[in-house]
Amino acid sequence: MTAEPTPDHPVVHRAHAVQDRDKNAGIVSRGIAAFLDLLMVWTILGACYLGLALMKFVITVSDFDFPEVNLFFTTTGFVVTSVLYLATCWEVSGRTLGSVVMGLRVVNGKGVRVRPSVAVLRALLCTLFAIGLAWVIVDRRRRSVADIVFRTRVIYSR
């Protein structure tokens, strides 16, 4: 069943249409997705801290005080949580929460999900060298440093 062409909505042949999966995502959509993912990681870390505080409260009810947070614990927790979150999402579906909201997907050069090893290494690079996302601005193919190193693409996927 095909739609009848109207002056407002002409029929476009599929061969002439540009598919979303053919376009690499730009800096704005990727930046917003990255910010939403950062909020997600902070939420996970906050939930872990509250869980730790609750366990400490149950064990030492009469002598309770909130667990002390130090720089090493916070930094290590952030890196581990970020890498696990990103790698798991990219390997399973190619999409994080931020990617779902912005309609993006991480794929390999052939347009399919990345392998687990690539997902972990890409997540590690994206976490430790987040400024590499800015390369999307100057690269004419809209690739970040991680995309270049691991031969991945971030495409629109609605």
Side-chain angles (χ1 to χ4, degrees):
M1 180 176 192
T2 60
E4 294 296 319
T6 64
D8 294 332
H9 301 284
V11 172
V12 176
H13 294 283
R14 195 149 181 80
H16 298 289
V18 175
Q19 302 296 316
D20 280 348
R21 68 180 179 277
D22 297 332
K23 293 195 272 183
N24 288 350
I27 188 65
V28 174
S29 54
R30 290 175 73 163
I32 293 170
F35 178 72
L36 293 173
D37 291 334
L38 179 63
L39 291 178
M40 185 66 184
V41 169
W42 283 344
T43 302
I44 293 168
L45 286 173
C48 289
Y49 177 78
L50 290 176
L52 182 65
L54 181 61
M55 282 184 3
K56 187 175 179 182
F57 176 72
V58 169
I59 293 169
T60 60
V61 176
S62 60
D63 191 30
F64 174 75
D65 58 338
F66 279 97
E68 201 173 303
V69 179
N70 60 35
L71 185 61
F72 177 76
F73 173 78
T74 305
T75 304
T76 304
F78 177 79
V79 170
V80 169
T81 304
S82 295
V83 170
L84 285 174
Y85 169 71
L86 293 172
T88 302
C89 291
W90 289 336
E91 195 277 322
V92 170
S93 67
R95 306 176 87 179
T96 61
L97 177 69
S99 297
V100 170
V101 170
M102 296 308 297
L104 307 176
R105 183 180 306 275
V106 175
V107 295
N108 67 11
K110 296 177 183 177
V112 296
R113 282 192 321 243
V114 295
R115 293 187 331 251
S117 58
V118 172
V120 170
L121 292 172
R122 187 178 195 280
L124 193 59
L125 181 62
C126 289
T127 300
L128 298 177
F129 190 64
I131 194 69
L133 178 61
W135 192 252
V136 173
I137 298 169
V138 297
D139 188 82
R140 63 179 173 70
R141 290 175 29 197
R142 295 179 173 178
R143 297 175 301 169
S144 69
V145 171
D147 293 330
I148 294 168
V149 170
F150 297 108
R151 296 181 180 160
T152 57
R153 296 173 55 211
V154 177
I155 58 172
Y156 292 105
S157 176
R158 297 186 173 109

